[in-house]
Amino acid sequence: MELKHLGVRINSPLLEKLKDYCDDNDLNQSQVVRRALSQYLKEKNDALRKQSSAEGRPSRWICETQ
């Protein structure tokens, strides 16, 4: 797997919440963002699969997460 860099901008209150969460859970900010993105994409993929199954055609969602 080739690693790439991704930068994001977030507002100060959200950054403070992220820092607090990281401190409380002994994680770094990159770990939290990666896990959150992975979880979001998995949930989105699952929802699209259910929707597509109900419509009788396979999902076209291209992002598979673990």
Side-chain angles (χ1 to χ4, degrees):
M1 171 183 3
E2 183 180 350
L3 300 178
K4 299 285 185 174
H5 177 80
L6 171 68
V8 297
R9 296 178 70 145
I10 60 175
N11 60 37
S12 295
L14 187 57
L15 179 59
E16 288 304 315
K17 288 180 182 180
L18 176 60
K19 288 178 181 178
D20 291 343
Y21 182 86
C22 290
D23 290 341
D24 292 346
N25 293 281
D26 194 30
L27 297 168
N28 63 46
Q29 293 175 13
S30 292
Q31 289 172 307
V32 174
V33 171
R34 281 192 304 270
R35 289 177 185 184
L37 181 58
S38 179
Q39 180 180 345
Y40 173 81
L41 292 175
K42 182 183 182 314
E43 289 172 1
K44 190 70 161 174
N45 189 40
D46 291 346
L48 287 173
R49 282 185 179 180
K50 287 178 186 174
Q51 178 184 5
S52 294
S53 294
E55 294 172 356
R57 61 180 191 259
S59 173
R60 296 286 183 201
W61 187 248
I62 61 171
C63 189
E64 294 289 332
T65 60
Q66 298 177 5

